[in-house]
Amino acid sequence: MSGAEAVAAEAPFAKPVGQPVPRASLRALRAQAAGCRACPLWRDATATVFGEGPARARAMLIGEQPGDEEDRSGRPFVGPAGRLLERALGEAGLERGALYLTNAVKHFKFQRRGARRLHDRANAHEQQACRLWLAAEWLRLRPRLAVALGAMAAQTLFGAGFRLSRERGRWIKLDARSRALATWHPSAILRTPGPQRERRYRELVEDLRALAQALDEAAPR
Ligand code: URA
């Protein structure tokens, strides 16, 4: 692929991917990503947690990075955050199986504390290295609608200046074809103390309802 093609093939993210984005089936991309060594996170992780869902999904949900259970199973959103997300999707009238679920970073990053593996946030270099896979998923699906779960995913789409507390729940145009909104990450909701936790959960459901409505209004693929 020439440089010009590589740039044209990039997904509509805030920062350029910076290298040619592979065009392939989800199955082939998953196999390629399983051998990714672009940042050090592969060394301690059990698996590359690639996205999951139909290639014809009309919406993509983008989380941050896999957690302990996702690393062990190799599937996104199967731990506590995933269970909260599924409850919220159900309340919003959405089916997980109809959506494409993925993460901005595809390896679990953690620090060992005895037998426990504690979540550690991927740094800017690790996020940038992984953008290639998110861009490849985006190119394969070309979704009209996307939801960023949490600040890391939101900043990948909208840039470092994006503030979830100010701009949550608002559709933002990404390019001529696609728009996205950002909402609370289910893990952040689980960590929120007191009555604010329920408030944020209700806002997550409200934002997912906005996605359900946009899907209803949009023309079928
Ligand atoms: N948090 C995420 O952002 N993604 C997962 O897959 C699990 C937890």
Side-chain angles (χ1 to χ4, degrees):
M1 187 186 279
S2 76
E5 281 166 335
V7 170
E10 285 203 346
F13 301 159
K15 266 204 205 159
V17 178
Q19 53 184 314
V21 179
R23 280 181 187 275
S25 68
L26 289 174
R27 182 194 290 254
L29 292 171
R30 174 190 296 273
Q32 289 172 34
C36 182
R37 303 287 185 264
C39 82
L41 293 186
W42 66 273
R43 284 201 194 106
D44 294 327
T46 313
T48 303
V49 180
F50 204 69
E52 178 177 282
R56 291 184 62 79
R58 293 157 67 215
M60 181 185 274
L61 263 59
I62 307 168
E64 302 201 325
Q65 57 191 75
D68 183 73
E69 289 188 43
E70 288 78 16
D71 177 65
R72 293 177 199 281
S73 69
R75 297 181 54 211
F77 286 106
V78 293
R83 289 189 281 280
L84 189 78
L85 178 61
E86 283 200 32
R87 177 151 74 87
L89 287 170
E91 282 194 50
L94 289 164
E95 249 184 73
R96 173 180 172 137
L99 305 167
Y100 189 81
L101 258 64
T102 193
N103 285 301
V105 171
K106 293 182 170 43
H107 279 122
F108 181 38
K109 182 175 182 183
F110 59 92
Q111 293 188 1
R112 286 196 193 276
R113 289 278 183 283
R116 297 176 67 207
R117 304 192 302 169
L118 300 183
H119 168 95
D120 192 11
R121 185 182 166 85
N123 63 32
H125 164 69
E126 293 152 353
Q127 291 179 41
Q128 175 65 26
C130 223
R131 203 155 299 175
L132 178 74
W133 299 116
L134 186 62
E137 291 171 300
W138 188 281
L139 272 186
R140 179 67 190 88
L141 265 83
R142 301 193 67 232
R144 288 186 189 278
L145 300 164
V147 172
L149 298 165
M152 184 192 291
Q155 291 180 355
T156 298
L157 295 181
F158 308 130
F162 184 88
R163 291 290 169 269
L164 203 49
S165 49
R166 273 203 318 257
E167 296 169 281
R168 195 217 98 239
R170 249 193 266 155
W171 287 112
I172 297 174
K173 207 167 152 60
L174 293 174
D175 61 13
R177 183 185 164 85
S178 313
R179 62 194 161 124
L181 65 74
T183 189
W184 302 119
H185 191 289
S187 300
I189 296 175
L190 290 172
R191 286 194 306 270
T192 304
Q196 206 185 357
R197 178 189 292 192
E198 181 59 21
R199 205 172 314 132
R200 287 190 170 179
Y201 176 74
R202 302 279 24 128
E203 288 174 346
L204 169 65
V205 172
E206 188 185 304
D207 295 338
L208 292 173
R209 283 204 180 110
L211 172 63
Q213 188 182 343
L215 283 167
D216 279 349
E217 289 164 3
R221 275 185 99 102

